[in-house]
Every structure is written in structure tokens, then in C-alpha cells.
Amino acid sequence: MKEKIEALRAEITAAMAKTETGRALYELKVKFQTELKGIMSGMRDLAKEDRPTFGKIVNEFKTDIEEKFEARAAVVRQMEMEKKYASERIDITMPGKSYKAGALHPITLVKNELIDIFAGMGFKVFEGPEIETDYYNFTALNTPKDHPARDMQDTFYLAENLLLRTQTSAGQIRVMEQDAPPIKILSPGRVFRSDDDATHSPMFHQMEGLVVDKGITLCDLQGMLAEFAKKMFTDSTKVRLRPSYFPFTEPSVEVDLSCSECGGKGCRLCKGTGWIEVLGAGMVNRRVLENCNVDPDEYTGFAFGMGIERIAMLKYGINNIKTLFENDTRFLEQFED
Ligand code: DAH
């Protein structure tokens, strides 16, 4: 019996030294307990006088092995922790993964900048529908059917009286129908024309402005445009008004800015003139005010409309409008807010 205990002690102690996990240690402990049970039940076969001596030996064996188990458990726990730390170790000197963040499209950047500039002058934003009736897009803007000015814009008709708006000017009518003067609105949005070349796209963006109040004059328009030109381009940008024609304004003007590329000396961008045409504007035609039940003897107003792509192309030196719609990320990622 004694030899059996010593053999078991040697076996368990050796096996224990090899354990590296809590699980293996636990399994060994179960084995030890089963063996111990066997030894204890063997005591019944011993002579009565031998039992106390043998009981002492078994007890010593049990305590010794349990202590060893406890000590080994601490070692194994430490080993397991170290393994875990090693596997979870992070090398903070490794280069990080780079994520590409999206950015705003140059048209959106310019649109937001325009809104910022005009909001600073007290303009509120109004967005009209992209599908318009013939009335809002043309007739109410003093452009009845058969008016030659309809030829200036090649229109996509959806039905006889329904079309894709060709100009954000349609929003002027909707605003004046809704609100009484004083009015000071900005109307950005998409417009559509059957037109397609290096500087024209069948879908493009416009920004409309409308101010109606008592005593508004062309000087107010000029002053506001001078402010806009400075903020959008440079402090030295000058504004020039040239007589023009639009059915919904009288008088009408074409607005030029001094060339941002050459400062007015004349270059390829401005075709040697020193000026670049950027928008159309004028005093709201009496007929348009009347169409919206605004008394033209009491109120006057000015309106203006500009192409957002055109402003973006001038500001960023883009020479083909198509690059703004191809969504090539190599082009787009050059623009930052
Ligand atoms: N709607 C005109 C166009 O698309 C631009 C324009 C000119 C708007 C004069 C205006 C304006 O409000 O007064 O060509």
C-alpha cells in the first residue's frame, strides 16, 4: 500500500509539472481524487491496528498533493495570463489603416458658399419644384407661348403644360404668390435644358435671387453684386453691368466680373476682354409683379440668376463642365471644404 502511494505521488507530481492549462490541472485533480478514493476504501481490508498508521500516511499524502495542486494552479494561472497578453499584444508602432473620408462635391461647396454669402445679407432660401407647369416657368414670367424668348432655352416637355424647369426663376412666382413684400429670397436648384457641350450640360444648377420692397433700385442690385463678387472671388474683383434682355426684367442686365485669372488685363480665360460674364439680372418687370398681385406702383424689385457650375468653373479653373458630372474621385478629391 505504501509503495502504491509513493508511486502515485511520483506519477501525479510529474504529470502536474507538465500541466500548462487550468483545464489539464483540473482533469489531473479528478484523476487524483478517484485514486485517493480507491486507496481509502482499501483501508477496510487492513488489520485494525495498522489502520491509524496508514490513515496518517494517507492524510499526509492527501495534504501534500493538495498543496502541490494549489501551488501549481497559481503557476498555471500566471502562464495563462502571459499567453493571453502575448496574443492580445498591440504593436503601436505599426502603420495605421488609412480610411478615405468622403467630401462635398465642388458644386455643393460653391452652392453652400453662395448661400452663406447671401444669407449674410439677409436672404432666405426657398426651393421650388423641379417639375414645373408652363405657367410658372414661362407665362407668369412674362414669356407667353410663341414668345421668341422661349427659343433661348430648349425645354424638356413632359406634357403640354408640364416641363422640367429650365430656370430657377420659376421660384420667383411661387414666392410672390405665397408671401407679400418685403421679399428677399434665394432659390438654388437643378434646372434642365436640351443643351450639351464643353460649357453646357442638360442638367445644371442655378441660384436665383429676388428682392421686392418699397424703393428698390438698380443701385441696390449693383451694390449687392459688388459685395457678392468680393466675397466669392477677391477683394479687387469689379462688377460691370451691360444692357441685355430678359422677358421678366426691365431693364435687364448681363453682369460681368473682372477676370479672376488676369485681374482685368486680358487673357485666354476672358478672351482678352478682361471681363467674364457670370449672371443675368434686372429690375423685376411690372408685368411679373402684376401677375403675382404685387402693386408695381408701390413696390419694385430686382432679380438675378446665375449658373452654379459656371461659378465653380471660374473659381476652381475648370475648363470642361463634364468633369463636374463624371464623379472621377481623382478629380473630386482635389476639392476641400
Ligand atoms: N433665368 C435666366 C436664365 O436662366 C437668368 C436670369 C436672368 C435670372 C435675369 C434672373 C434675371 O432672375 O433677372 O438665363
Side-chain angles (χ1 to χ4, degrees):
M1 208 58 142
K2 219 168 159 199
E3 290 85 63
K4 199 177 165 193
I5 286 177
E6 285 320 310
L8 194 57
R9 192 197 305 267
E11 186 196 330
I12 290 192
T13 311
M16 205 187 294
K18 284 194 197 124
T19 54
E20 285 184 356
T21 63
R23 170 113 208 129
L25 199 62
Y26 172 77
E27 277 163 11
L28 189 64
K29 200 169 185 176
V30 170
K31 186 181 167 202
F32 160 68
Q33 280 163 348
T34 317
E35 299 278 355
L36 193 65
K37 243 189 199 162
I39 291 170
M40 304 253 255
S41 58
M43 273 169 79
R44 262 180 275 127
D45 306 330
L46 291 179
K48 227 178 187 161
E49 61 273 21
D50 291 340
R51 282 186 199 167
T53 328
F54 188 72
K56 240 180 169 179
I57 294 173
V58 172
N59 261 341
E60 183 276 327
F61 172 60
K62 187 174 175 257
T63 320
D64 174 45
I65 295 296
E66 275 172 358
E67 273 169 11
K68 280 184 175 141
F69 264 118
E70 232 162 82
R72 186 66 193 171
V75 173
V76 165
R77 226 176 290 132
Q78 186 65 27
M79 284 166 90
E80 283 187 324
M81 290 287 254
E82 271 162 24
K83 236 190 239 165
K84 190 167 178 254
Y85 290 153
S87 72
E88 288 175 2
R89 194 183 169 124
I90 296 169
D91 181 354
I92 56 164
T93 63
M94 291 272 282
K97 279 186 198 149
S98 71
Y99 292 99
K100 283 206 171 165
L104 293 179
H105 191 278
I107 293 176
T108 309
L109 289 176
V110 169
K111 185 178 98 175
N112 290 349
E113 198 175 343
L114 287 169
I115 291 175
D116 267 3
I117 292 172
F118 286 104
M121 298 190 226
F123 284 76
K124 289 210 167 67
V125 173
F126 167 87
E127 285 187 48
E130 289 175 358
I131 294 176
E132 264 300 3
T133 62
D134 188 277
Y135 176 76
Y136 285 102
N137 195 78
F138 287 126
T139 310
L141 286 162
N142 196 32
T143 321
K145 290 216 161 97
D146 304 326
H147 193 289
R150 286 207 182 197
D151 295 344
M152 286 159 74
Q153 306 174 359
D154 253 322
T155 310
F156 291 115
Y157 279 91
L158 303 173
E160 201 190 334
N161 284 316
L162 216 54
L163 46 83
L164 294 179
R165 69 175 172 198
T166 60
Q167 48 189 359
T168 44
S169 307
Q172 290 185 26
I173 307 299
R174 291 189 175 272
V175 168
M176 282 194 280
E177 276 184 357
Q178 252 175 44
D179 299 327
I183 287 169
K184 207 169 182 186
I185 60 104
L186 203 58
S187 192
R190 297 198 287 182
V191 297
F192 307 84
R193 292 180 199 179
S194 181
D195 214 350
D196 203 3
D197 60 36
T199 52
H200 295 89
S201 155
M203 186 285 291
F204 62 104
H205 299 74
Q206 281 190 335
M207 178 76 78
E208 192 83 10
L210 174 71
V211 175
V212 182
D213 203 350
K214 286 177 181 160
I216 299 288
T217 70
L218 201 65
C219 288
D220 297 314
L221 172 66
Q222 194 167 15
M224 187 217 66
L225 289 171
E227 188 65 19
F228 152 73
K230 282 195 184 118
K231 291 223 167 95
M232 194 68 200
F233 294 94
T234 60
D235 263 351
S236 53
T237 308
K238 292 190 185 59
V239 176
R240 177 174 85 169
L241 305 187
R242 273 182 297 110
S244 184
Y245 174 78
F246 296 102
F248 35 88
T249 42
E250 182 58 38
S252 299
V253 292
E254 207 82 63
V255 181
D256 298 340
L257 301 186
S258 54
C259 180
S260 50
E261 188 73 20
C262 63
K265 286 201 272 314
C267 66
R268 256 179 62 191
L269 183 68
C270 59
K271 301 192 184 87
T273 64
W275 296 94
I276 291 179
E277 185 190 315
V278 288
L279 58 101
M283 297 304 292
V284 181
N285 193 306
R286 292 176 65 89
R287 292 237 183 119
V288 175
L289 294 174
E290 278 164 5
N291 287 342
C292 304
N293 289 323
V294 176
D295 182 355
D297 293 322
E298 197 182 348
Y299 292 103
T300 51
F302 67 72
F304 59 91
M306 63 183 93
I308 297 181
E309 282 78 0
R310 180 148 178 78
I311 306 281
M313 288 168 81
L314 290 172
K315 196 171 163 76
Y316 297 126
I318 300 166
N319 54 20
N320 192 327
I321 196 169
K322 298 288 179 297
T323 52
L324 288 169
F325 299 112
E326 281 164 352
N327 285 335
D328 184 332
T329 52
R330 288 169 304 178
F331 169 75
L332 294 177
E333 70 197 5
Q334 297 174 57
F335 303 93
E336 272 176 44
D337 204 352

